[in-house]
Amino acid sequence: MAPVHGMDNFPEKSVILIEEGTGLVKSVYAQYIAAETAADGKDVSYLTPRPSDDIRSEMKLLRILPAKGFHIEEIHGTTPGALLDLLTLHGNGDLVIVDQFSLYFLDTPLSDLREGISRIITAAKNGRVFLLLVDRGVLPERHEALLHAMADGVIQVTTVPEGDKLKRYLNIPKMRGTLLSEKMLPFTIGDEGFLIDTRERHG
């Protein structure tokens, strides 16, 4: 079993999508990544429309709330342009996580989304990693396809009912500089943390 990433690490200076259908598993996954990154002595910015106290409570329950290096910023009623300015001009952090990223671009023309992602990619080249949490099916298909094409990596969280239980998997169809698995990676969230069974890679 391997912690969190399911790979050696995220590529440096990158923009990574973390996708899921309706649900909060991607947020929990991102919280574990944030905790692991902060534990390595790096600064993490977590931007979210949810109350910051809720995020802290969830991380305390999971016993992963970092003592330092982790900053939550609530973003409410933010326009796409203001969010992009926050990320690319004023934002801090070696790792920047944007929760529910897709919700801010519901009515954005495709050309504007392309320009916005280009701005984030340019900001990443200054030495930062951006994790954009996306709800599948919220944006039009062409917008989702554009995000996939422009991102350095795509991680998909999938929940599958199996009997009376739910099985959760990570699928990594794209990741710059990484050999990809042909299988989905099962993971669990429990007392030992967020654990990915990498043995499935070699089936």
Side-chain angles (χ1 to χ4, degrees):
M1 303 290 270
V4 183
H5 294 90
M7 62 197 85
D8 290 339
N9 214 322
F10 292 127
E12 296 181 355
K13 304 178 182 180
S14 61
V15 177
I16 310 295
L17 303 183
I18 301 179
E19 294 186 323
E20 183 187 16
T22 303
L24 291 176
V25 178
K26 63 184 177 300
S27 297
V28 174
Y29 177 49
Q31 289 167 17
Y32 271 97
I33 292 169
E36 187 178 83
T37 303
D40 286 341
K42 297 180 179 178
D43 287 324
V44 180
S45 292
Y46 193 102
L47 282 65
T48 178
R50 301 172 59 204
S52 59
D53 286 345
D54 287 359
I55 303 297
R56 290 190 180 90
S57 295
E58 290 170 4
M59 296 181 76
K60 282 181 181 177
L61 186 63
L62 295 166
R63 300 196 295 273
I64 59 170
L65 183 64
K68 59 181 181 178
F70 178 67
H71 313 281
I72 302 174
E73 183 166 352
E74 294 184 25
I75 43 177
H76 302 289
T78 303
T79 65
L83 176 61
L84 291 168
D85 286 346
L86 181 61
L87 293 176
T88 62
L89 299 178
H90 313 298
N92 296 310
D94 302 298
L95 173 68
V96 181
I97 299 170
V98 186
D99 200 1
Q100 300 185 37
F101 177 83
S102 49
L103 296 183
Y104 294 96
F105 294 89
L106 289 174
D107 301 314
T108 301
L110 190 65
S111 58
D112 290 353
L113 178 61
R114 182 186 300 111
E115 180 182 345
I117 298 302
S118 293
R119 287 181 61 186
I120 297 174
I121 290 170
T122 298
K125 300 311 176 189
N126 293 324
R128 304 159 78 192
V129 174
F130 289 86
L131 300 186
L132 309 180
L133 279 53
V134 176
D135 295 291
R136 281 197 302 270
V138 168
L139 295 174
E141 287 186 13
R142 292 184 66 197
H143 288 59
E144 288 191 353
L146 177 68
L147 288 174
H148 289 182
M150 296 185 73
D152 296 293
V154 178
I155 300 173
Q156 297 169 335
V157 178
T158 303
T159 302
V160 179
E162 294 186 6
D164 60 350
K165 296 183 179 180
L166 294 175
K167 294 282 286 185
R168 295 188 173 96
Y169 298 88
L170 290 183
N171 179 39
I172 307 174
K174 177 181 181 180
M175 190 63 62
R176 173 168 51 86
T178 302
L179 292 175
L180 299 180
S181 170
E182 294 182 354
K183 295 185 178 181
M184 293 196 296
L185 306 176
F187 67 87
T188 58
I189 304 171
D191 291 341
E192 296 181 1
F194 192 112
L195 298 177
I196 300 171
D197 188 350
T198 55
R199 293 171 299 181
E200 288 294 310
R201 287 179 174 270
H202 308 293

